[in-house]
Amino acid sequence: MSLVANSPVWRPFTQHALQPGAYKIVHAEGAWLTAEDGTRFLDAISSWWVITHGHRRPEIMAAIRRQTETLDQIIFAGFTHEPAEALARRLVEITQPGLDYVFYSDSGSTAVEVAIKMALGFWRNRGADRRRIVALEHAYHGDTVGTMSAGARSVFNAPYEPLLFDVARVPFPSSGAEQETLDALESHCRAGAAAFIVEPLILGAGGMLTYGAQTLAEMKRVCERHETLFIADEVMTGFGRTGSLFACEQAGVAPDIACYSKGLTGGAVPLAVTMCRREIFEAHYAQDRARAFFHSSSFTANPIGCAAALANLDVWEHADARARLANLGAMQAERAARFAQDRRFSAVRRLGTIVALDLDVPESGYAATLGLDLIRFFNARRLLLRPLGATVYVLPPYCVTGAELDLAYDAIEAAADQFASRAR
Ligand SMILES: *Cc1c(COP(=O)(O)O)cnc(C)c1O
């Protein structure tokens, strides 16, 4: 397998001194990536959580081709186009009740920045001094300065620490300790927090940490009691990943603001939306220009992205898309069960289509390079798996077959043979 080196490309989340090359992919289809030299990789993490149904889903590719016949980027202030109008109407229909307005942007981070700005603008325009943002321990909301501020502080954002604004942090609701989370949230809300931002049911980059729907519903009730705005960051969980179209559905929670991006176009092209309740739009509605919502991405509501998203929503209307989701959840549960009694792993967990498990590795020093060692180990077995430290997770596109999943789990078993600190 050959790696492309001597490239001017500076890749994301890459220490080039330790990871000098990259596999050059020339073809993607279904759950597979094919490299220049013919090597095929099973994409067991949906290309960083974006691909939902599978790579190059034909209906989505066709919609993109069709849209390029009539529109490219169109300025979105003072002008509009049918793909954006139609998509907004359909999103209002399928998301949680009350999310009546749709603001377009182009990435998950931007969608979250927009959400935070909407929340702060809401309170300012209402003349209230509510500015505090509350977030969960271990949260991840993106890599821009605002979203890093809301996310957990770590080695990943240490250099920018002086720029990050202060947020109130509540403990992750680990099993049995949910009340502590709710109590901490309540005290920040009572003190007049502007908004609480949360990844519903599962914290992705924070380590695929899951918590119950009931806790999510309780968090929402706490916010309601004190009029703290509830922001659901569904950038990763949206569009089927947790077993329902949106994670909030499972808790019967209707957020005040919600962010969607990764799976919005089925993962084909970048697009994001921040949706909000009518009151938030209305707080910005006035004869006074200074009360407008001042945000714009150059590529806001890109027509080709909107066409891809509409085609994605069409795919979701087929009953077999839902059936496939349920079937994948069952296949994943079956495979996760194989590790439940394996002493080399702990916290084997599944939420919808996602399985995660923690590999027990020797303490000290070793853990720091374990992530990279595991990535190399899996790549050598023609698998795209990228553990988060010692947390191995399988987050496949929904077209994956049982036999393909077995390739991933057999490799995870082999990784345990090589890296685990104790015997099975
Ligand atoms: C990926 C992610 C983001 C950031 O999205 P980008 O498109 O990478 O900017 C924000 N929130 C969550 C929960 C995510 O998983």
Side-chain angles (χ1 to χ4, degrees), residues 49 107-110 112 140-143 199 205 233 235-236 261-262:
W49 321 347
S107 75
S109 298
T110 312
V112 173
Y140 177 81
H141 296 293
D143 277 338
E199 295 160 86
D233 177 355
V235 170
M236 190 274 265
S261 182
K262 291 181 171 120

Side-chain angles (χ1 to χ4, degrees), residues 342-359:
D342 191 328
R343 291 173 59 246
R344 300 169 302 175
F345 294 96
S346 55
V348 180
R349 51 207 185 268
R350 179 189 70 96
L351 179 67
T353 70
I354 307 168
V355 164
L357 58 177
D358 300 341
L359 183 59

